[in-house]
Amino acid sequence: MSEPIVKVENLHKAYGSNQVLKGVSLEVAEGEVLVIIGPSGTGKSTMLRCINLLSRPDEGRIWVAGDEITAPDANVNHIRERVGMVFQDFNLFSHLNALQNVTIALTKVKKMSKPAARELAMFELERVGLVDKADHYPAQLSGGQKQRVAIARALGMEPLVMLFDEPTSALDPELIGEVLEVMKKLALEGMTMLVVTHEMGFAREVSTRMIFMENGYIAEEGPTKQLFYNPQHHRTREFLGKITELYGSKEEEGA
Amino acid sequence: MERLPDILNSIPYLLQGAALTVAVAFIALTAGLVIGLPLALMRVYGNKLAAGFAAAYSTVLRGLPSLVVLFILFYGIPPLIGLRDLSAFWAGCIALGVCSSAYQMELLRGAIQSVGSGQMMAARAMGMTHGQAVIHIILPQALRAAIPSWSNEAAVVMKDSSLVYAVGLAELLRRSQQVAARTHQFFIVYFLCGIIYFVLTFSTNRGLDLLENKLRLPSVLEEH
């Protein structure tokens, strides 16, 4: 088996006296789509943030493509270039239009020439279906469009793995679909993805593996089908039951 | 009113004073920005020592009358450091600039902090260094947001430049006083002086309003 793209070993993280992660270990192989579910406050987002060092782990080690990013001499900025991140509240740069949102890191971080950055950015905007909005500012875009620009912005860096932190939680229901479509397309293209989400339709259809997290631990992990149809842990069953109750009708459509 | 031609003849003399007023205000504002911006960044992003220094600097200077700072600088410091004398002009520019830097630091700090924390996080997530994120992402948004309060500070400094009168610089107020004393037309001369100050502050604010509008980001309602 080839080297995992992401490997996490015994990850601990506390915010003050609040122990958020209490020893999480996982591996993600190239091309895998890993969906992470669980009640809020159980460390799902914190774990994603540790993988690009937006949060510093207190204990434990993390490797990206074989390089240990938790090593003391690791080049943090270089690591972040290879790990794309999509946030719940988009965080598009408000003073830049859609195109500039994608090009800014290409010219400033990757030191690409302006024309080359522009060309790549237009290609990424095309991928998320927003070429016609290239000159629109974030305030002029809908939530779904903002999130798609944010995905294009992350893709522009040509990351090895993409982290999605509840990418559709801040969206109006009718805008969720367009973002999930883009993510689905990415998955089909073979992008390695870690997705924290409550969108069970997406999880069932797109993910290869799922993780159920609770209280800072991974309570259960396995192939998507197994977690959906034959969860071993009673808390997984309970949680899936609640989520299905909440999102039931949409899930039927997706099935 | 037989003195009216005399007053009219002195208008060019007053306007030369106004030019000095503008020069003092302009240099003081620029100095205030050049000192205030790094201090604001230290206050927001610096370690305890840097942030503490910036906070103390601002607290002390905002607690002193500008005139006292000017007197310390003009009368107090040159003998201490063996300087023969400091020109009234430069003493005024520096004193007002230092005082303004404390206020500019506070208004810039507010503007920097008004930029959402997600902006910095997203910039860092793209691999930008902290400095790159500040320069390319935070400041372009913060400086836009700071223009209205900066415009206010510009008007304050423009008016405070009249304090330099006290160390003998022949700026607008001092020249007005001279003309008034010579012609005994106190009301007319000081009224004229007031009008010139008003035109200066008003046009400064208008200019900055225009700048603000020019830099305003398109919003939802406007089609781009």
Side-chain angles (χ1 to χ4, degrees):
Chain A
M1 191 185 149
S2 67
E3 194 169 40
I5 293 281
V6 176
K7 186 177 165 191
V8 175
E9 203 178 84
N10 194 28
L11 184 62
H12 286 72
K13 176 75 190 174
Y15 292 110
S17 62
N18 180 19
Q19 190 72 37
V20 182
L21 296 173
K22 303 170 183 167
V24 170
S25 299
L26 62 89
E27 285 188 13
V28 186
E30 191 174 348
E32 258 196 305
V33 178
L34 178 70
V35 162
I36 300 149
I37 57 169
S40 42
T42 53
K44 306 181 301 275
S45 299
T46 304
M47 186 183 73
L48 286 193
R49 278 168 196 205
C50 282
I51 294 175
N52 66 359
L53 297 180
L54 283 178
S55 291
R56 272 274 169 193
D58 297 331
E59 202 187 318
R61 302 166 77 187
I62 302 171
W63 290 262
V64 172
D67 296 329
E68 189 187 344
I69 66 171
T70 42
D73 60 342
N75 181 338
V76 175
N77 297 318
H78 185 61
I79 289 155
R80 292 189 178 128
E81 284 179 48
R82 300 193 298 169
V83 181
M85 178 108 184
V86 175
F87 301 91
Q88 180 176 342
D89 36 13
F90 332 124
N91 292 336
L92 284 188
F93 304 133
S94 322
H95 63 301
L96 300 175
N97 66 28
L99 179 71
Q100 293 163 334
N101 259 279
V102 185
T103 56
I104 183 105
L106 299 178
T107 53
K108 304 302 175 194
V109 178
K110 289 204 149 181
K111 310 288 179 202
M112 283 172 74
S113 71
K114 281 207 170 126
R118 193 193 146 81
E119 197 180 328
L120 178 56
M122 288 307 273
F123 170 77
E124 300 299 353
L125 286 175
E126 173 97 62
R127 260 171 111 179
V128 300
L130 285 175
V131 167
D132 57 325
K133 304 284 183 196
D135 61 350
H136 282 49
Y137 283 80
Q140 301 170 301
L141 298 171
S142 72
Q145 291 168 340
K146 280 185 213 175
Q147 194 59 299
R148 283 150 68 199
V149 172
I151 293 173
R153 178 175 71 173
L155 287 174
M157 300 300 286
E158 297 174 316
L160 296 171
V161 53
M162 289 275 285
L163 312 176
F164 293 86
D165 187 5
E166 303 207 27
T168 57
S169 300
L171 293 175
D172 290 337
E174 75 267 25
L175 302 175
I176 291 176
E178 60 186 83
V179 172
L180 293 180
E181 266 320 299
V182 166
M183 291 168 61
K184 200 161 119 186
K185 198 172 120 205
L186 271 183
L188 291 174
E189 288 169 15
M191 175 60 76
T192 311
M193 294 160 61
L194 277 74
V195 186
V196 172
T197 185
H198 296 300
E199 293 295 327
M200 290 301 127
F202 173 83
R204 183 156 60 185
E205 206 181 333
V206 182
S207 74
T208 50
R209 200 152 56 93
M210 285 176 74
I211 280 179
F212 175 68
M213 277 182 80
E214 190 170 41
N215 293 325
Y217 296 105
I218 293 178
E220 182 165 358
E221 117 172 70
T224 302
K225 279 212 173 87
Q226 182 192 311
L227 247 86
F228 259 103
Y229 301 111
N230 191 18
Q232 304 299 308
H233 199 288
H234 75 281
R235 282 291 296 137
T236 318
R237 270 198 298 277
E238 248 177 69
F239 182 78
L240 282 170
K242 268 188 206 150
I243 287 272
T244 314
E245 221 171 86
L246 203 61
Y247 295 88
S249 56
K250 190 169 8 164
E251 208 187 311
E252 296 308 313
E253 284 165 33
Chain B
M1 282 296 116
E2 75 276 13
R3 291 288 191 173
L4 200 58
D6 212 4
I7 295 171
L8 289 178
N9 285 338
S10 58
I11 285 181
Y13 182 69
L14 291 182
L15 288 179
Q16 281 165 17
L20 264 179
T21 290
V22 170
V24 170
F26 180 80
I27 294 171
L29 277 168
T30 309
L33 183 63
V34 169
I35 304 170
L37 184 57
L39 283 170
L41 292 171
M42 276 163 68
R43 182 80 200 272
V44 178
Y45 297 115
N47 59 25
K48 261 202 176 120
L49 193 73
F53 171 77
Y57 176 92
S58 135
T59 306
V60 169
L61 277 166
R62 285 182 303 139
L64 299 177
S66 304
L67 196 54
V68 172
V69 176
L70 177 60
F71 281 2
I72 291 175
L73 193 72
F74 186 72
Y75 297 114
I77 292 182
L80 278 186
I81 58 173
L83 200 67
R84 276 270 306 285
D85 63 335
L86 185 60
S87 79
F89 177 79
W90 284 108
C93 292
I94 297 169
L96 292 178
V98 166
C99 289
S100 176
S101 73
Y103 292 95
Q104 291 194 44
M105 176 202 136
E106 293 298 338
L107 71 88
L108 291 169
R109 174 175 74 106
I112 291 167
Q113 285 171 335
S114 76
V115 177
S117 62
Q119 298 283 310
M120 173 59 88
M121 196 160 49
R124 298 309 304 275
M126 307 291 296
M128 285 192 198
T129 63
H130 198 273
Q132 282 178 321
V134 168
I135 290 170
H136 300 299
I137 306 300
I138 305 297
L139 283 184
Q141 299 181 50
L143 293 178
R144 275 185 175 86
I147 294 175
S149 16
W150 200 84
S151 175
N152 188 44
E153 175 64 15
V156 169
V157 171
M158 189 70 79
K159 291 182 288 182
D160 276 359
S161 70
S162 60
L163 295 174
V164 186
Y165 144 102
V167 291
L169 185 70
E171 44 68 77
L172 176 56
L173 182 58
R174 191 170 193 90
R175 289 183 186 217
S176 303
Q177 194 200 22
Q178 291 163 354
V179 174
R182 186 157 48 80
T183 59
H184 294 284
Q185 294 296 327
F186 296 99
F187 179 77
I188 296 177
V189 173
Y190 284 128
F191 191 75
L192 192 60
C193 168
I195 287 175
I196 297 175
Y197 272 116
F198 178 76
V199 168
L200 292 180
T201 51
F202 182 78
S203 49
T204 305
N205 287 350
R206 264 302 130 95
L208 287 165
D209 283 351
L210 289 177
L211 181 70
E212 187 192 352
N213 279 328
K214 197 172 148 56
L215 294 177
R216 177 167 295 156
L217 297 166
S219 66
V220 195
L221 298 171
E222 310 164 39
E223 261 308 305
H224 189 56

